[in-house]
Amino acid sequence: MIQLSLFLYGLITAGIYSLIALGFSLSSGTLHILNIAHGDFVMIGAYITYWLFTLYNVNPLLSIIFSFSASLIIAFFVDKLVINPLELKCKNIEEFHSVSVLVFFALSMLLQNMVFLLWGANYVGYTYLDTPILILGVPIAAIRLIIAIVAYLCAITLHLFLFETYTGTSIRAFSQNKERALLIGINVNRLRFIILGISVALAGIAGSLISALYAIFPAIGGSYLIRAMCIAALGGLGSMKGAIFGSIILGFSESFVTFYIGSGLQDLLAYSVLVLILLVKPSGLFAR
Amino acid sequence: MTILLSKKAITRTQAIIVIVIILIAAIATGVYFALISRPQTPTKNEIVIGCSLSLSGANSAQATNQLNAYKLWVDQVNEKGGLFVREYGTRLPIRLVVYDDAGDATTAVKLYEKLITEDKVDVLLGPYSSAVFFAVSTVAEKYHMPIIGPTAASNDIYTRGYNYTFIGQQTVSNWADAVVSYINSKSDLQKIAIAASSFRVAMMMASFVKEGIEGIDRELIFYEEYPTGTQDLTALVQKMKDNNPDAVISLGTLADNVLFVRTCKELNVNPKFFYIAVGYDAPQLLDTLGETAEGLCGMITFHVKLPYPGLEEFVEKYKSKYGLLPPSECADAYTTCQIYQAAIESANSLNPESIKEALLQLDIMTIKGRFKYGEVNGARWINIYQVTYVGQVQNGTVELIWPRAYATSEEIYPKPPWR
Amino acid sequence: MMDDMILKSFYSKSKMFLSAATIITILIFLPFIYPNLYILSFLITIFISTILAESFNIFSGYSGLVCLGYAAFYGIGAYASAILINSGISPFISFIISGVAGVALAAFIGSITLRLRSIYFVMVTFSFGEILREIFRNWKAVGGALGITLPPTYTYVAVYFVTLLTMLTCVVVTYKLEKSKIGLYLVAIRENEEAAEALGINVFKYRIIAFCLSCFFPSVTGGLYAWWMTYIDPPTVFSILVSLNAIIMTTFGGKGTWLGPILGTLILGTIGEILWANFPYAYLSIYAVALILIVLFLPEGLIKPLQAIISSASTDKK
C-alpha cells in the first residue's frame, strides 16, 4: 500500500503547491512581470496566522481571511505606487522586465526584513489538529486533509471567478490580447491591480495553511518561489489548468522519486524538468 | 572660428565629467576614512576584545543571545575593576567591540581585519557560524592572533593544522560519540536509521554517527540525506518505516527536525529510541511540538542542572537580566569568556603569543565543565575533556539521561508512543 | 557640424583617459601609501561587485535579455579554481582555466537557450544556477554540502592587484565592445531584433559571443573568491544574490554603457555600507525602500540624466 500513501501525499502536496503556482502563473503570464517576492507573500500569510493563533487563539482557517486581506493591501500599494508609474515610464518590455525584477527583489527584501524586525529570525511554529485520520487505510494528519480541501476549493473558486464573472472574463480577455481589451473599454489599471491582488492573495492563503504544518522563518519564501516558477513554466505561464497539472506532476514526482531514488535529488529533478520544458516547449504544456 | 568656440564648449563639459568622477571617488574614500579613522589611544588602559556576529540575517537570534552572554561577563568582570594583567601589575577593564557581519564570510573577513589592524584588539572571539569561521580563522592565523570559536563545532575547521584556532564548545564528533555510546549501552537497539538534511553540521554529524554505529557492530538499516528545507518528508519516512528501525536518528536544522518528527507521528513510526540534533535544546522545539515532544531524545551540549561551578550563578544572573533561561549558545559564549579570563590572568603579557601559550597551558573548570586544550585525532585545538549529553523530554521539560553520571532523571525507555 | 563632433569626441576621449588614468594610479599606489587592510578588503569587494555588474552589462545591457544565471559561472569558477589550487597549480593559472571553463559552459548554455523569449530566458538561466548548485551539493567527490577548503596561500596585496587587474580588463573590454562593430550590432539587435535580422545581422551568433564574453569574468572572479576566502560551499557560491546584485548595480547605474555599472556599484556600495554601519538591523528595509524610490525616478539608471546634462551643456555653447 506504499503506492497509495505516496499517491495521497502527493495529492496533498500538489494542493498546496497549486495555490502558490496559480497565483504566480497568473501574474507572470498575464501581467508579464516576474514577481520574485511571490514566495514572501506566502511567508507573510504564514506569520499572520502564527501570530493570530498564538496570541489570540484565532483558528488558522479563519485567519485565512486576514492573510488574504493583508496580501491585497500590500498588492494595492505596490501596484499603485510602483508598478503603474514604472509601466508608464519604461520604453520597452525588456527594460520593464529588468526594472521589475529589481523592484520585486527590493519588495522581497523589505517584507523579509520587516518580519525579521517583528518576530526575529528564529523558527516559530505551533501545532494544530495533527491527529491522524485514516483515509483508505493511510494515516493522514487531520490538518493536512483540511489544507488539501481548502486548497482545491480555492482553485475551484478561482476557476469560477475567471469563467463566470464579468471581471474574470475581462482578465482572460486582457491576458489574451491587451490592446483589444483596451479597445472594448476594459479598465486596464483596475484589472492589473485585481490580477496582482488575487495572485498574491492566493499565496497568502497558502502561507496560512502551511504555518500549521511546518516551522516558519523569514526566508521560507525562496523555496516556494522556485517551485511556483517550475510549475507555472511547466503548465504554461498564464494557464490555470497548466498550473494545477504542473502542481500534480511536481507533487507526485517529489513523493515517488523520494521514495524510489532518494531525497537528495528532489530539487535537482524539479529544476531539470523545468529546464527541459523551457527548452523543448517554452510556452508550457497547456500553451494558449 | 567655429573650432575655437567648440573647443571651449568641450573643455567645460568634459571638465564636468572629470570633476564628477573625481568627486564621487573622493566622497567615497572620504566617507570611509571618516567612518573608520578613530583616534587610537597609545597608552594601555583597557583590554579590547573583538568579534563580529551575525546580528542581522538568519542566525541573528542566536547571535544576539551570544552577545548578551558576552555583555553579562564583561559587566561582571568590570564590576571588579577588570582582569588582572601581570604585565602591568594591575586590573584593566574590558572593552567589547562587536560588529555585524550578517552571516557573510567576506564581510566577516573585512571586519576581523579591521578589528586586528584598526581597533587593535587583544583577543578575538569567533563569529557565529562554522562557515564564516573558516575564513575568519585564516585571518587570525595570518596575524598569529588566537581566536576562540564559541559555536564553531565542525571538526574540519580544526584539522587544517592551524595553531591559533581554539574551540569553545564540543566538536561534532563528540556530539556523535554521545549518541553512539548511548546506543551501545542498549543491547536491544540493533537496527538504526539515520536521516540527515543537507545542513552542513547535520551531514558531518551523520557521517560520524554512521562510523560510530558501524564501529559498535549495529546494523545501519537506513541512511538517507535530504535537502534542508524540504517540504514533504512522508516518502522518506515511509521508506524508513518499512525497514522497522529500533532507533531513529534525525539530523538537521530545527525546522527539518520539526517536520521529520511530525511526519513520524503521522505515519505512526514508534521506535524505542528517537533522537534529534540540532536545535533540540532550543525553546521553540517544545513550543512548536507541544505534547508530541514527550519522550523525544536529543543532543544537549549544555543544561542548567549540570553540576559545574559557577553555572547556577550564571543561569540566575542571565535569567534576571534577560528574562529567560540561557540557551546553549550563551553558555558557549560565557565559557569562551571564562577561558580568556583564565588565559589573560595567567599570561605573562597581553601580546598574542603569550596569550596563545597561556591558552595551551590552561586546565580549568568552566560552566561547561573541564577545559584543557589539546590535539585529538588531528584536530586542534580542542577540549580534551569535552562531553556531550543526551537529553529527553519528560513532562514538558528537557532532562539529561546520558552519560549516567550526569543524569538529572531516570530515562524513559523505550520511548512511549506519540500522544 | 561634423568637424565639431569629431573634435568633441577627440577631446572627450583625452579628458576621459586623463581622469581614468588618475583614478587608476591612485588605486595602484593605494596599498603602498596607506596599507590599511580593512580598506583594501572593502575595495576588493567593490571590485568584485563591479566585475559582476559590468559582466552583466556586457550581455544584458547590449543585448536586452536579462540573465539570472551568473551564479552558475561564479560557482563553477570557484570550484574549478579550488580544485586546481588544491592540486598545486598556481592560482593565477587556475583563474585563467576557470575563466575558460566558464566560457565553455556559457557556450553550451547559450547555444541551447539563446533562442528563447525574454521571460523564459530569465527562468532558464536562473534554473541553471540552481541545477549546478544541486549537482555540487550532491557530488561527494568535490565535497558535497561540506564544501572545499583551501590552504591560505593568498596575500591581501596579491588579491587586491589581481582583482583590480581583472576589473580594469573587464571595463576596457566593455568599452572596446561598445565602440566596436560587434557592439554596434548588439545595440541594433537590442533596439529592434527583427529589423536587425532583416539587415542581415546574425542575431544568434552575436548574442552567443556577448554571452560567452560576459561569463568569462564572473568565472575568474569566482576563482578569486575561493582563493581569498579559503572556503567555499554550494549555497554560498551558487547563490542567486550574485546575479541579483549585478542586476541592481547595473540597472541603477545605467545599462548599455561601460561607465554605468561602475557608477552604480560605487554609489550603491557606498550607500549600502553607510546604512549598514548605522542601522544594523533595519538597513535592509531602508535599502529596499531607497532602491524602489531610485528605480521609480530613474528607471534607466543614473547615466542617462548625466549624459543629458552634458550634451545639453555642450550644445548650449554654440
Side-chain angles (χ1 to χ4, degrees):
Chain A
M1 273 296 95
I2 309 293
Q3 281 74 3
L4 182 61
S5 109
L6 289 177
F7 178 81
L8 287 173
Y9 278 103
L11 209 60
I12 294 170
T13 314
I16 301 176
Y17 284 167
S18 67
L19 270 183
I20 309 175
L22 279 169
F24 188 78
S25 195
L26 198 60
S27 66
S28 61
T30 317
L31 294 175
H32 295 291
I33 53 175
L34 211 58
N35 180 1
I36 50 182
H38 194 83
D40 298 289
F41 283 94
V42 175
M43 183 262 298
I44 294 274
Y47 267 93
I48 290 178
T49 309
Y50 162 74
W51 179 59
L52 290 173
F53 181 80
T54 43
L55 273 181
Y56 303 110
N57 250 304
V58 177
N59 187 322
L61 298 171
L62 200 62
S63 52
I64 286 179
I65 301 177
F66 293 100
S67 2
F68 182 87
S69 323
S71 301
L72 277 177
I73 294 173
I74 299 177
F76 178 76
F77 283 111
V78 171
D79 183 61
K80 291 294 166 250
L81 295 176
V82 184
I83 307 287
N84 203 358
L86 273 181
E87 210 170 8
L88 294 170
K89 272 198 174 185
C90 285
K91 290 184 301 175
N92 56 24
I93 193 104
E94 265 84 24
E95 192 183 319
F96 181 64
H97 268 158
S98 59
V99 167
S100 64
V101 164
L102 226 148
V103 161
F104 282 110
F105 177 60
L107 180 65
S108 164
M109 249 199 284
L110 188 63
L111 289 174
Q112 284 188 34
N113 197 234
M114 297 262 90
V115 168
F116 162 74
L117 288 172
L118 289 171
W119 281 286
N122 256 331
Y123 303 117
V124 291
Y126 60 93
T127 315
Y128 179 71
L129 280 188
D130 63 344
T131 38
I133 298 181
L134 285 174
I135 302 283
L136 299 175
V138 178
I140 299 179
I143 185 66
R144 268 199 219 251
L145 277 171
I146 297 176
I147 288 174
I149 294 173
V150 171
Y152 285 114
L153 271 176
C154 285
I156 296 175
T157 316
L158 181 70
H159 177 91
L160 289 172
F161 174 74
L162 284 176
F163 284 86
E164 304 294 325
T165 69
Y166 176 70
T167 323
T169 322
S170 5
I171 293 179
R172 284 186 297 126
F174 175 80
S175 75
Q176 277 169 11
N177 195 321
K178 191 164 160 190
E179 282 85 19
R180 283 206 210 126
L182 267 167
L183 281 175
I184 11 177
I186 290 178
N187 184 343
V188 170
N189 276 334
R190 200 180 124 239
L191 217 56
R192 203 183 48 233
F193 160 61
I194 293 178
I195 294 175
L196 188 64
I198 294 178
S199 146
V200 299
L202 287 172
I205 296 176
S208 288
L209 298 175
I210 281 165
S211 66
L213 278 180
Y214 309 114
I216 56 176
F217 53 100
I220 54 172
S223 58
Y224 290 111
L225 172 70
I226 287 161
R227 289 195 163 71
M229 263 203 250
C230 285
I231 295 170
L234 228 161
L237 296 183
S239 159
M240 299 296 101
K241 229 185 333 178
I244 302 261
F245 199 73
S247 314
I248 292 179
I249 293 181
L250 199 69
F252 282 148
S253 68
E254 278 184 3
S255 265
F256 284 92
V257 164
T258 308
F259 189 79
Y260 289 109
I261 301 182
S263 10
L265 302 170
Q266 234 170 288
D267 284 351
L268 187 58
L269 178 83
Y271 292 120
S272 308
V273 167
L274 176 63
V275 168
L276 220 61
I277 294 279
L278 285 172
L279 293 176
V280 170
K281 189 164 196 278
S283 45
L285 295 172
F286 287 90
R288 284 171 292 107
Chain B
M1 233 25 205
T2 332
I3 298 171
L4 276 171
L5 276 171
S6 328
K7 192 171 169 176
K8 265 205 197 134
I10 295 159
T11 315
R12 201 172 304 184
T13 58
Q14 289 317 316
I16 295 176
I17 299 181
V18 174
I19 291 171
V20 163
I21 292 174
I22 293 185
L23 261 180
I24 292 173
I27 291 174
T29 30
V31 164
Y32 281 89
F33 278 104
L35 276 183
I36 54 101
S37 55
R38 269 168 205 116
Q40 298 296 319
T41 45
T43 53
K44 195 72 188 159
N45 55 7
E46 57 181 6
I47 302 171
V48 190
I49 300 187
C51 72
S52 81
L53 291 171
S54 45
L55 295 173
S56 62
N59 293 310
S60 71
Q62 291 96 314
T64 314
N65 289 337
Q66 248 186 289
L67 184 58
N68 288 342
Y70 289 150
K71 283 197 209 158
L72 193 73
W73 175 75
V74 170
D75 290 340
Q76 211 175 307
V77 164
N78 284 345
E79 256 166 44
K80 303 197 193 115
L83 291 181
F84 187 82
V85 183
R86 276 190 211 168
E87 194 180 356
Y88 301 101
T90 175
R91 285 185 177 272
L92 292 179
I94 299 185
R95 181 163 67 91
L96 188 64
V97 180
V98 178
Y99 295 120
D100 173 23
D101 60 29
D104 176 51
T106 45
T107 315
V109 163
K110 224 170 41 180
L111 292 169
Y112 275 85
E113 289 283 350
K114 187 173 193 299
L115 285 169
I116 298 174
T117 57
E118 303 213 347
D119 300 296
K120 306 232 192 297
V121 295
D122 296 300
V123 284
L124 289 172
L125 291 165
Y128 182 74
S129 70
S130 293
V132 175
F133 194 57
F134 262 106
V136 164
S137 57
T138 310
V139 174
E141 191 76 8
K142 270 179 137 26
Y143 284 98
H144 299 300
M145 281 210 71
I147 183 169
I148 303 184
T151 51
S154 297
N155 291 58
D156 49 0
I157 295 176
Y158 306 98
T159 50
R160 291 180 292 170
Y162 284 9
N163 289 308
Y164 292 84
T165 308
F166 296 82
I167 199 174
Q169 67 150 312
Q170 299 88 325
T171 58
V172 175
S173 53
N174 192 240
W175 299 354
D177 287 340
V179 65
V180 170
S181 62
Y182 179 84
I183 292 178
N184 198 20
S185 73
K186 296 263 179 291
S187 56
D188 59 338
L189 288 176
Q190 286 294 327
K191 300 201 284 186
I192 321 289
I194 302 179
S197 84
S198 65
F199 180 52
R200 189 176 206 280
V201 168
M203 294 220 38
M204 185 171 266
M205 187 170 170
S207 64
F208 282 122
V209 174
K210 176 169 186 261
E211 237 178 85
I213 298 286
E214 284 163 356
I216 56 172
D217 277 329
R218 301 294 166 93
E219 211 189 321
L220 191 61
I221 50 140
F222 181 84
Y223 183 87
E224 238 188 71
E225 290 158 13
Y226 58 94
T228 181
T230 304
Q231 295 304 306
D232 187 57
L233 292 172
T234 41
L236 183 86
V237 172
Q238 187 70 58
K239 226 161 135 179
M240 184 184 77
K241 183 179 177 185
D242 282 351
N243 287 298
N244 246 316
D246 296 317
V248 168
I249 300 177
S250 167
L251 304 171
T253 60
L254 181 58
D256 295 325
N257 283 321
V258 163
L259 181 60
F260 191 82
V261 168
R262 281 192 172 146
T263 314
C264 285
K265 174 178 172 176
E266 224 174 308
L267 291 176
N268 214 19
V269 176
N270 276 309
K272 298 182 196 148
F273 176 62
F274 201 120
Y275 177 92
I276 64 175
V278 175
Y280 181 71
D281 44 9
Q284 294 94 320
L285 183 83
L286 295 171
D287 289 336
T288 314
L289 288 179
E291 284 215 315
T292 313
E294 280 303 309
L296 202 61
C297 294
M299 177 187 89
I300 301 278
T301 53
F302 169 74
H303 194 275
V304 296
K305 288 198 203 149
L306 283 167
Y308 298 124
L311 190 147
E312 229 180 292
E313 203 189 312
F314 165 69
V315 172
E316 273 313 307
K317 277 224 177 89
Y318 192 92
K319 203 161 104 178
S320 58
K321 188 158 180 200
Y322 298 109
L324 54 132
L325 285 177
S328 64
E329 59 268 7
C330 288
D332 297 330
Y334 192 81
T335 308
T336 312
C337 295
Q338 285 187 306
I339 295 172
Y340 266 134
Q341 175 166 351
I344 291 175
E345 291 189 324
S346 67
N348 288 319
S349 94
L350 271 184
N351 76 55
E353 275 308 313
S354 313
I355 297 187
K356 175 209 168 210
E357 287 308 313
L359 282 169
L360 289 173
Q361 305 289 337
L362 285 182
D363 188 342
I364 57 170
M365 280 301 266
T366 66
I367 60 167
K368 279 187 74 166
R370 193 166 172 195
F371 243 91
K372 180 171 165 61
Y373 284 115
E375 186 169 339
V376 179
N377 287 332
R380 59 175 169 176
W381 301 104
I382 64 174
N383 179 14
I384 63 176
Y385 294 116
Q386 57 183 348
V387 182
T388 307
Y389 317 89
V390 175
Q392 188 174 37
V393 176
Q394 296 175 357
N395 291 321
T397 36
V398 176
E399 304 282 352
L400 285 181
I401 58 169
W402 183 267
R404 293 261 158 71
Y406 299 98
T408 59
S409 152
E410 198 54 50
E411 64 182 354
I412 300 177
Y413 182 83
K415 177 186 172 299
W418 304 105
R419 276 192 230 170
Chain C
M1 204 52 169
M2 270 315 256
D3 299 307
D4 294 338
M5 279 162 64
I6 294 170
L7 275 166
K8 175 176 171 186
S9 64
F10 172 70
Y11 279 109
S12 76
K13 241 194 206 177
S14 62
K15 285 289 191 255
M16 193 156 53
F17 283 149
L18 194 64
S19 42
T22 325
I23 297 178
I24 294 174
T25 321
I26 298 176
L27 287 175
I28 292 179
F29 285 103
L30 191 66
F32 307 109
I33 306 171
Y34 193 81
N36 179 322
L37 291 177
Y38 169 61
I39 296 200
L40 284 189
S41 345
F42 169 69
L43 283 173
I44 293 173
T45 46
I46 291 272
F47 294 161
I48 292 181
S49 301
T50 313
I51 296 172
L52 292 170
E54 199 74 73
S55 302
F56 175 78
N57 179 47
I58 291 177
F59 179 64
S60 299
Y62 299 115
S63 78
L65 289 176
V66 174
C67 169
L68 268 187
Y70 285 100
F73 304 99
Y74 191 76
I76 283 280
Y79 267 90
S81 290
I83 296 172
L84 289 170
I85 294 177
N86 274 345
S87 321
I89 299 182
S90 141
F92 309 105
I93 300 182
S94 311
F95 298 149
I96 305 288
I97 299 180
S98 308
V100 171
V103 171
L105 184 67
F108 168 66
I109 294 180
S111 61
I112 55 179
T113 62
L114 277 170
R115 299 193 195 271
L116 290 173
R117 268 200 302 139
S118 97
I119 201 170
Y120 300 121
F121 183 74
V122 176
M123 289 207 278
V124 94
T125 48
F126 167 71
S127 306
F128 269 110
E130 298 290 301
I131 287 180
L132 276 170
R133 191 196 63 207
E134 285 299 305
I135 291 178
F136 277 90
R137 193 179 59 75
N138 282 300
W139 196 357
K140 295 290 158 75
V142 290
L146 294 178
I148 301 185
T149 46
L150 288 89
T153 54
Y154 70 93
T155 65
Y156 263 86
V157 179
V159 176
Y160 179 81
F161 278 115
V162 177
T163 324
L164 179 61
L165 186 66
T166 315
M167 182 186 83
L168 290 175
T169 317
C170 187
V171 172
V172 166
V173 164
T174 314
Y175 179 73
K176 289 269 179 242
L177 189 74
E178 195 176 290
K179 308 290 179 209
S180 77
K181 188 183 79 169
I182 301 181
L184 208 64
Y185 285 170
L186 285 172
V187 173
I189 295 172
R190 180 187 74 200
E191 295 300 324
N192 193 328
E193 195 176 318
E194 285 97 10
E197 210 144 24
L199 282 172
I201 298 176
N202 187 339
V203 172
F204 188 68
K205 169 175 152 196
Y206 286 104
R207 276 206 171 132
I208 285 240
I209 294 176
F211 190 63
C212 290
L213 201 59
S214 84
C215 295
F216 175 75
F217 295 101
S219 309
V220 170
T221 315
L224 274 166
Y225 176 86
W227 188 46
W228 185 31
M229 287 288 112
T230 67
Y231 171 71
I232 57 171
D233 65 356
T236 319
V237 295
F238 287 106
S239 155
I240 183 67
L241 288 174
V242 173
S243 311
L244 283 173
N245 279 324
I247 297 180
I248 293 175
M249 307 291 182
T250 313
T251 314
F252 175 66
K255 283 212 298 187
T257 65
W258 66 274
L259 191 56
I262 300 179
L263 280 180
T265 314
L266 208 56
I267 297 179
L268 276 185
T270 310
I271 296 179
E273 280 279 309
I274 297 179
L275 282 180
W276 174 66
N278 291 309
F279 303 102
Y281 293 99
Y283 99 96
L284 277 175
S285 292
I286 303 176
Y287 186 76
V289 171
L291 211 57
I292 295 180
L293 285 174
I294 291 169
V295 163
L296 267 178
F297 291 111
L298 295 169
E300 286 168 337
L302 210 60
I303 205 85
K304 293 278 155 53
L306 216 61
Q307 275 180 348
I309 299 174
I310 294 167
S311 52
S312 70
S314 64
T315 47
D316 277 346
K317 298 302 176 262
K318 299 272 158 24

